[in-house]
Amino acid sequence: SPGILNHSSKWRYSTKVEYKPIRSVLVANRGEIAVRVFRACTELGIKSVAIYSKEDRAHIHRLKADESYLVGEGLPPVQAYLNIPEIIKICKDHGIDAVHPGYGFLSERSDFAQAVIDEGIRFIGPTPEVVYKMGDKVAARDAAIAAGVPIVPGTDGPITTKEEAKEFCIKHGLPVIFKAAYGGGGRGMRVVRKMEEVEENFQRASSEALSAFGNGAMFIEKFIERPRHIEVQLLGDRAGNVVHLYERDCSVQRRHQKVVEMAPAPHLDPKIRQQMTDLAVKLAKHVGYENAGTVEFLCDEQNNFYFIEVNARLQVEHTVTEEITGIDLVQSQIRIAEGMTLPELGISQDQIKPSGFAIQCRVTTEDPAKNFQPDTGRIEVFRSGEGMGIRLDGASAFAGAIISPYYDSLLVKVIAHSKDLQSACAKLNRALREFRVRGVKTNIPFLLNVLENQKFLNGAVDTYFIDENPQLFK
Ligand code: ADP
């Protein structure tokens, strides 16, 4: 996503980091990802530290940590987790060695990474400079060009007038996609296919962006028809070593947001896989990428692929890569932040051998029958699917848990690992059928429809799949 340019004028980089063992990690996040990081800490013998808003005072992520501290009293629920000075103060007051930002919240804020480092605390992620560059769409595209990575044709920078929009469309042709320059998470996008609709759509998209993100500036890109979303997982260290952990396919999306993710990408031409992974590594080396990150591409039906963005953080779908490679990405992140190199961690490119097929679905507390409206309340009954090849990553999935309206609606990620796409889907399907959730609605009926769709089972879906198959909602 284009990210937030909130400090461009007073920006300065200081990346002087003292590498030494990490004894405690504060997770500046909540829910599922906080618990995921605490688990890695515990396995490494590192103390885990939670922060929680007052709305989350009874949330399980607080109880899963060795220590926990209230943040953002008096602030709205989301703002509580964005309160940088208070999070830094907690770290200083309690002698915390490192901060993990998770995904969402402060994870792509270079000013946060910098504030952490300025206090002599380790930031478990790339340097602030790299977080900044990768969050700035123009800088990220420039880096891709410099590394020889093909990009989607687009405007050179944010534009603000309908005349500029029209000019781009005349020059490059239709269809195009408008993206909020300061948006993200798949929100604020609009596809335009007719020249006479360019100006009006631009005005509307821009005013939507203004009210949603506080800035009406837009990017325009050529719209790639029927793309698959394929992304490459990377790990880099302070010595400049970078490896890829192969790719994920995240084409199953609803409103440009990922719903089902898998690794490896089904039917991907091995030559294309080689090119994509090589270019992703080249880009990472070019910018001095340290820690875990992802390079995202769109791939069209003719096997042309285009860079769209770098996510300079851990992603929701990192699990499927862990399953096929056997590498714990969060533990690797922590070790890299301690200063260990990839060779010291026993990670070298020729030893990363993907095995089998992994697929994840995001079980959310949303009602597919009501246009995925979030549901809230108390979970009265909860039983989960289990058994061979099933992994569950969650935080509030148990009887008695209160699902609040304040945060995103992810309940649990269900991951299946098996020898191939069909058998992994059969496992996931079987596990989802074992779930019993009463008290709040979930999207499980919808996920089961996806997992039973023949086109899906053939591994032949692109980002149009959900939109073109309204029967999946029933
Ligand atoms: P965000 O950062 O908001 O998630 P991305 O740039 O990663 O946005 O795009 C999210 C999704 O939107 C992509 O996976 C793809 O489905 C769609 N998309 C984005 N850009 C294009 C494009 N130029 N052509 C076609 N689809 C696109």
Side-chain angles (χ1 to χ4, degrees):
S1 59
I4 304 163
L5 305 175
N6 45 3
H7 40 63
S8 42
S9 54
K10 46 181 165 39
W11 183 249
R12 81 268 176 261
Y13 304 119
S14 80
T15 47
K16 222 177 115 273
V17 174
E18 197 194 337
Y19 292 98
K20 57 178 189 216
I22 289 172
R23 293 155 306 175
S24 53
V25 172
L26 177 142
V27 180
N29 212 301
R30 65 178 301 284
E32 183 276 320
I33 194 59
V35 172
R36 168 71 190 90
V37 178
F38 298 155
R39 285 178 170 145
C41 291
T42 304
E43 288 165 16
L44 293 173
I46 293 170
K47 182 163 79 179
S48 57
V49 183
I51 56 171
Y52 62 95
S53 65
K54 75 175 178 315
E55 287 77 13
D56 272 344
R57 63 193 170 277
H59 196 282
I60 199 78
H61 88 264
R62 174 184 176 192
L63 309 173
K64 290 265 186 188
D66 296 320
E67 282 174 16
S68 65
Y69 300 100
L70 177 67
V71 278
E73 228 184 330
L75 292 178
V78 170
Q79 292 304 316
Y81 289 99
L82 298 174
N83 190 356
I84 296 177
E86 206 185 336
I87 295 170
I88 302 284
K89 185 171 184 307
I90 291 169
C91 292
K92 283 168 68 182
D93 288 353
H94 302 282
I96 286 155
D97 287 341
V99 170
H100 194 299
Y103 51 70
F105 292 115
L106 295 170
S107 63
E108 288 172 283
R109 288 270 300 269
S110 52
D111 55 336
F112 179 56
Q114 187 69 65
V116 169
I117 288 172
D118 285 346
E119 295 299 336
I121 303 160
R122 244 73 48 74
F123 181 77
I124 303 175
T127 61
E129 181 177 0
V130 168
V131 175
Y132 177 74
K133 264 197 196 155
M134 296 300 102
D136 176 324
K137 208 171 155 82
V138 177
R141 281 167 64 98
D142 286 348
I145 294 166
V149 182
I151 59 167
V152 186
T155 47
D156 296 329
I159 62 164
T160 51
T161 67
K162 60 181 197 295
E163 290 73 26
E164 291 169 287
K166 186 101 190 215
E167 198 182 310
F168 178 89
C169 296
I170 289 169
K171 184 157 172 230
H172 293 274
L174 295 173
V176 295
I177 183 167
F178 294 157
K179 296 183 175 184
Y182 302 98
R187 296 196 302 143
M189 291 192 219
R190 190 178 279 247
V191 180
V192 182
R193 296 181 175 278
K194 292 192 186 130
M195 206 53 89
E196 61 269 26
E197 288 171 3
V198 167
E199 286 169 306
E200 194 200 319
N201 268 282
F202 184 82
Q203 294 293 49
R204 215 178 287 157
S206 174
S207 58
E208 273 169 23
L210 181 63
S211 59
F213 309 110
N215 193 316
M218 305 294 289
F219 284 106
I220 306 181
E221 281 174 11
K222 281 285 283 180
F223 183 71
I224 310 298
E225 299 275 15
R226 308 207 74 93
R228 289 168 71 190
H229 174 116
I230 299 179
E231 56 185 38
V232 177
Q233 175 69 54
L234 299 169
L235 279 176
D237 68 17
R238 64 164 163 156
N241 303 302
V242 177
V243 295
H244 70 82
L245 288 88
Y246 293 87
E247 82 286 352
R248 296 183 283 261
D249 186 322
C250 314
S251 301
V252 182
Q253 302 180 351
R254 197 182 142 261
R255 300 197 173 150
H256 306 301
Q257 288 177 32
K258 299 161 188 168
V259 178
V260 180
E261 299 109 335
M262 57 196 89
H267 313 304
L268 183 63
D269 181 334
K271 281 207 303 282
I272 303 297
R273 171 176 293 125
Q274 188 71 49
Q275 286 173 17
M276 267 187 185
T277 51
D278 282 352
L279 286 169
V281 168
K282 240 177 108 188
L283 172 54
K285 285 191 170 161
H286 180 80
V287 299
Y289 201 97
E290 200 179 317
N291 220 289
T294 301
V295 182
E296 297 190 333
F297 297 99
L298 294 179
C299 188
D300 71 15
E301 289 174 295
Q302 286 76 44
N303 267 344
N304 301 306
F305 63 86
Y306 308 90
F307 166 86
I308 45 172
E309 65 172 354
V310 174
N311 282 317
R313 55 172 171 83
L314 192 68
Q315 286 186 286
V316 182
E317 59 272 23
H318 73 278
T319 53
V320 290
T321 299
E322 294 183 324
E323 293 303 312
I324 64 159
T325 61
I327 292 175
D328 186 314
L329 283 168
V330 181
Q331 287 193 8
S332 305
Q333 285 193 294
I334 296 170
R335 290 306 191 209
I336 289 167
E338 287 182 318
M340 287 183 76
T341 63
L342 294 172
E344 282 168 348
L345 288 169
I347 297 175
S348 66
Q349 191 66 68
D350 54 339
Q351 279 166 1
I352 302 173
K353 296 256 185 287
S355 146
F357 190 90
I359 176 165
Q360 164 175 290
C361 61
R362 305 184 187 192
V363 175
T364 60
T365 47
E366 293 172 336
D367 187 351
K370 288 193 188 145
N371 200 23
F372 294 89
Q373 191 181 299
D375 197 16
T376 58
R378 184 175 188 274
I379 299 181
E380 300 297 345
V381 173
F382 185 86
R383 285 205 309 279
S384 60
E386 296 166 359
M388 183 186 174
I390 294 297
R391 164 178 172 182
L392 304 180
D393 277 35
S396 49
F398 56 92
I402 305 292
I403 305 301
S404 78
Y406 306 118
Y407 301 103
D408 88 279
S409 54
L410 180 65
L411 181 66
V412 60
K413 306 191 297 202
V414 186
I415 303 109
H417 184 206
S418 190
K419 64 180 195 306
D420 55 22
L421 170 73
Q422 283 75 23
S423 61
C425 288
K427 262 189 202 304
L428 190 54
N429 188 324
R430 186 271 301 159
L432 287 179
R433 286 182 186 286
E434 288 178 13
F435 272 80
R436 292 292 177 274
V437 185
R438 306 248 189 279
V440 288
K441 288 276 193 305
T442 74
N443 66 343
I444 289 177
F446 164 73
L447 295 170
L448 286 171
N449 287 342
V450 171
L451 289 168
E452 275 158 27
N453 181 283
Q454 201 49 52
K455 212 169 156 210
F456 177 84
L457 289 168
N458 291 339
V461 306
D462 53 41
T463 63
Y464 291 18
F465 173 62
I466 291 181
D467 281 342
E468 284 180 347
N469 290 280
Q471 77 276 13
L472 297 169
F473 303 119
K474 301 213 177 76

